[in-house]
Amino acid sequence: MDYRRNILIIGLAVVSYLMVLAWNEDYGQTPVASSSQASQYGPQESQAGAEFDAEPSAAEAEFSAPETQAEGSLSSEQKTPAAKSRSRIVTVKTDVLDLAIDLYGGNIVAANLPHYKISQQSDLPLPLLQRSNERYYVIESGLFGKNGFDSANNGAMPEYSAEAPVYQLTEGQDTLEVALRYEREGVQVIKRYIFKRDSYLIDVSFEIQNQGTKPWQANLSGKIVRDRSLDPSSQTSMGMQSYLGMVLSTPKEPYEKYDFEDMLEKPIKAEVQGGWIAFIQHYFLSTWIPNPEQTHSYQTRVRDGRYMMGFISPAFAVAPGETATQSAKVYIGPKIIDRLEQAAPNLDLTVDYGILFFIAYPLFWLLDFLFGLVGNWGIAIILVTVIVKALFFNLSATSYRSMANMRRVAPKLQALKEQYGDDRAKMSAAMMELYRKEKISVFGGCLPILVQMPVFIALYWVLMESVQLRHAPFFFWITDLSVKDPYFILPLLMGASMYIQMQLNPTPPDPMQAKVMKIMPIMMTVFFLWFPSGLVLYWLVNNILSIIQQWVITRQIEGSAGKKA
């Protein structure tokens, strides 16, 4: 039996199986189109009272979600017209963010990313956060607990005031501060958002000035509230969508996923020093990063279709006449590794390259470096293919010499087949003896291919997870390397190149193996029809380089054998 052929077939089958598993695991729903920006600031006030424990040490102290309190604090006249609702919206524009802050609660209720479009066919910015009839996804923060203004037992939710309805980071300005003010019973709160140029990381702080006569105490809390609407940033083919859900990072578990079903079946409550909590989707995320020096209670709740995930910091007290500040950070934007590394420890793990991350990370860094030189991600992929091929050049040469020698002894193998007929045991023994005499390695032809398969799988993850390749064009009809070829030209060319490569290989003596090898190009072409065009481009270029190398080596060996004869 031809063990080399069997291992090759098994290897290709394993790769195909792993790719299908990876695809099915990360992609499973049809994305929905986003609503227009005008609808994002609508009056969605009816969130049911999803609750956290306000103080980690006191299970009885609870607070309700801000929208519930907002609804109770508004008159019917205020709640009905959308124009009334929008009048309390403060807009904030930086070079990379376009946000809306609702003065009722001072929460971020919409966030557009002007550097990222909904699709290649649209000029509208991608809405990451959104409060509309189609999607509810907001970032909340407040003061809860004993005297916290956002607690359900302390009256209406705070209605902040702002100095202006619009804040914009102007040319030459590196920092933008948005200060929201609120006062109750002699205690004044200044809720500050600090934005920086070219940064998706926002500083959120509460400054409490106690001008009353009694001590004041509360807990800082930050929350991400979302419904189960689908991912507007998903752009993959076949109506598939990447992982959508929560991630919690702790010192023990730096990257732990919890999808909607996990949060629904068993609410999470964990006491963690530092850490962070995030909601991730394809290419983008929102993250709360509390004080790394404190121990926080990370919790989730689900109520009426709203999934709340967030943290509660330890209680702090402000004596009469004193001032205190509590702060946290929130990241709203793309999953770019170097930015995430700077924001918080382990946050870069949200760029999930799978179990082959140790190969995927260097591949991406090489791709990114080459892109900086050539300015085209497709050309960068071709150059990476050439470099990978050069690294495996000697190993590939060994494989192709083995295949060429197999072609050379093909007449002898056919003679053995005629001699032993259907006696497989004697046939296998005779073949092994022939290989030994001719100094042909049984495994030499398949090992190099198996070694390169992890590179192929790692590149798949790089293409699927790197936001830099979203909407990245190549040439001509390939306008997005992260999705399938719209006309299937690259997969068909890849299949043709694989067929040519098979013709250079020796024909297996076993008829069944020969049939399998003939249909292999067809099978792989069908698989590749739906793969990202950047990945197909890599495999096509790799095949072309392999054909050239194998043809040269085969001609050399067959020419040398002819001279000896």
Side-chain angles (χ1 to χ4, degrees):
M1 180 178 290
D2 191 343
Y3 296 102
R4 182 179 57 80
R5 286 294 174 198
N6 285 343
I7 293 175
L8 176 58
I9 294 171
I10 292 171
L12 290 172
V14 167
V15 168
S16 302
Y17 178 68
L18 289 176
M19 300 293 280
V20 172
L21 280 184
W23 193 280
N24 289 335
E25 178 183 352
D26 279 350
Y27 300 83
Q29 293 175 312
T30 305
V32 248
S34 307
S35 63
S36 65
Q37 180 175 343
S39 67
Q40 294 177 19
Y41 312 145
Q44 304 288 321
E45 304 293 347
S46 59
Q47 179 180 352
E51 300 173 344
F52 284 170
D53 295 330
E55 295 183 73
S57 59
E60 296 301 321
E62 296 181 326
F63 65 84
S64 299
E67 279 67 36
T68 303
Q69 299 167 51
E71 188 173 23
S73 65
L74 295 174
S75 67
S76 59
E77 180 182 357
Q78 286 175 307
K79 287 188 290 183
T80 303
K84 292 282 186 180
S85 174
R86 291 195 198 97
S87 67
R88 72 190 194 211
I89 294 295
V90 170
T91 59
V92 182
K93 296 184 178 181
T94 73
D95 56 330
V96 296
L97 288 170
D98 185 357
L99 304 180
I101 299 175
D102 193 335
L103 291 178
Y104 280 89
N107 298 314
I108 302 175
V109 296
N112 292 335
L113 306 179
H115 289 179
Y116 299 91
K117 306 304 179 184
I118 295 175
S119 67
Q120 286 189 313
Q121 293 72 37
S122 173
D123 291 329
L124 292 175
L126 179 79
L128 184 53
L129 305 183
Q130 191 174 2
R131 191 174 70 178
S132 71
N133 293 328
E134 289 184 1
R135 180 172 298 103
Y136 193 97
Y137 183 10
V138 301
I139 297 291
E140 299 176 353
S141 56
L143 300 169
F144 297 85
K146 184 176 180 180
N147 304 118
F149 299 136
D150 296 271
S151 295
N153 59 350
N154 286 337
M157 185 176 68
E159 180 181 352
Y160 289 91
S161 62
E163 294 180 357
V166 177
Y167 292 81
Q168 185 162 2
L169 189 70
T170 58
E171 192 70 31
Q173 186 180 5
D174 293 327
T175 303
L176 176 64
E177 177 181 315
V178 177
L180 310 178
R181 300 177 185 273
Y182 176 74
E183 184 174 354
R184 186 191 298 177
E185 299 176 354
V187 178
Q188 185 182 74
V189 177
I190 304 176
K191 184 175 184 177
R192 287 190 176 89
Y193 289 96
I194 306 294
F195 302 89
K196 297 178 181 178
R197 181 171 294 279
D198 190 32
S199 178
Y200 297 95
L201 190 64
I202 307 166
D203 293 320
V204 183
S205 67
F206 288 82
E207 180 183 309
I208 298 90
Q209 302 173 2
N210 188 353
Q211 300 169 356
T213 59
K214 298 179 181 179
W216 187 91
Q217 180 178 308
N219 302 69
L220 170 64
S221 175
K223 295 175 287 182
I224 303 169
V225 185
R226 198 189 190 282
D227 59 16
R228 293 188 70 157
S229 56
L230 301 182
D231 180 357
S233 62
S234 180
Q235 55 171 21
T236 50
S237 36
M238 295 180 68
M240 296 177 177
Q241 183 183 3
S242 61
Y243 173 77
L244 195 67
M246 189 191 86
V247 172
L248 176 62
S249 179
T250 69
K252 292 184 178 179
E253 295 289 344
Y255 183 73
E256 191 167 5
K257 292 180 180 179
Y258 299 91
D259 60 22
F260 289 119
E261 294 303 323
D262 294 329
M263 289 186 278
L264 190 61
E265 292 173 4
K266 188 177 180 180
I268 298 161
K269 186 175 181 181
E271 306 297 321
V272 177
Q273 180 171 347
W276 48 262
I277 196 166
F279 187 88
I280 66 174
Q281 61 189 58
H282 201 194
Y283 298 128
F284 304 97
L285 81 163
S286 62
T287 310
W288 269 113
I289 309 166
N291 189 336
E293 304 300 324
Q294 295 179 332
T295 297
H296 311 276
S297 176
Y298 288 94
Q299 302 181 29
T300 64
R301 291 288 186 273
V302 181
R303 184 71 62 85
D304 292 345
R306 299 273 168 83
Y307 292 74
M308 187 191 311
M309 56 213 85
F311 71 92
I312 303 169
S313 295
F316 67 98
V318 186
E322 298 283 327
T323 298
T325 301
Q326 293 287 298
S327 63
K329 297 179 184 294
V330 62
Y331 182 96
I332 304 171
K335 293 190 287 186
I336 299 176
I337 291 178
D338 56 350
R339 292 179 183 266
L340 299 175
E341 287 176 336
Q342 296 172 13
N346 301 315
L347 191 57
D348 60 307
L349 296 179
T350 56
V351 183
D352 191 352
Y353 287 147
I355 60 174
L356 295 175
F357 65 90
F358 55 92
I359 300 176
Y361 274 105
L363 269 180
F364 173 74
W365 291 330
L366 180 59
L367 265 176
D368 192 43
F369 171 75
L370 293 172
F371 172 76
L373 296 179
V374 300
N376 184 292
W377 286 105
I379 296 177
I381 290 173
I382 292 174
L383 293 176
V384 164
T385 311
V386 173
I387 292 172
V388 171
K389 193 65 179 174
L391 291 175
F392 290 104
F393 183 85
N394 291 331
L395 199 59
S396 298
T398 301
S399 170
Y400 300 144
R401 289 191 188 97
S402 176
M403 291 181 182
N405 283 320
M406 290 287 292
R407 283 170 58 97
R408 180 173 55 82
V409 300
K412 297 180 180 180
L413 288 174
Q414 183 62 32
L416 291 176
K417 182 181 177 182
E418 294 173 357
Q419 179 179 354
Y420 294 107
D422 295 331
D423 193 335
R424 290 184 173 273
K426 291 184 178 180
M427 176 67 180
S428 296
M431 285 173 58
M432 296 303 295
E433 179 62 21
L434 177 63
Y435 293 156
R436 187 186 63 80
K437 288 181 178 179
E438 297 289 342
K439 297 181 180 180
I440 298 174
S441 173
V442 177
F443 302 103
C446 59
L447 183 59
I449 298 175
L450 292 176
V451 169
Q452 294 182 64
M453 284 177 181
V455 177
F456 174 75
I457 298 174
L459 184 62
Y460 164 83
W461 288 112
V462 168
L463 292 172
M464 297 311 300
E465 282 292 308
S466 301
V467 68
Q468 292 88 338
L469 284 133
R470 181 179 186 262
H471 296 168
F474 180 40
F475 291 120
F476 307 115
W477 72 97
I478 302 297
T479 59
D480 189 346
L481 288 163
S482 67
V483 299
K484 68 179 178 68
D485 183 335
Y487 303 112
F488 305 115
I489 296 175
L490 283 181
L492 292 175
L493 290 175
M494 188 283 302
S497 68
M498 193 172 183
Y499 175 79
I500 294 172
Q501 193 173 14
M502 290 294 179
Q503 299 307 303
L504 294 174
N505 296 339
T507 303
D510 181 63
M512 182 56 67
Q513 290 183 23
K515 290 180 181 179
V516 170
M517 297 309 294
K518 285 183 178 179
I519 66 171
M520 187 66 70
I522 299 174
M523 184 183 72
M524 294 300 291
T525 300
V526 172
F527 274 126
F528 275 74
L529 290 176
W530 313 109
F531 283 175
S533 54
L535 190 68
V536 184
L537 177 64
Y538 166 82
W539 200 252
L540 171 61
V541 175
N542 182 73
N543 280 355
I544 292 172
L545 295 175
S546 298
I547 288 170
I548 295 172
Q549 185 182 13
Q550 187 172 358
W551 182 81
V552 170
I553 290 174
T554 300
R555 288 293 298 271
Q556 288 176 344
I557 289 179
E558 290 182 348
S560 176
K563 291 178 180 178
K564 290 180 180 179

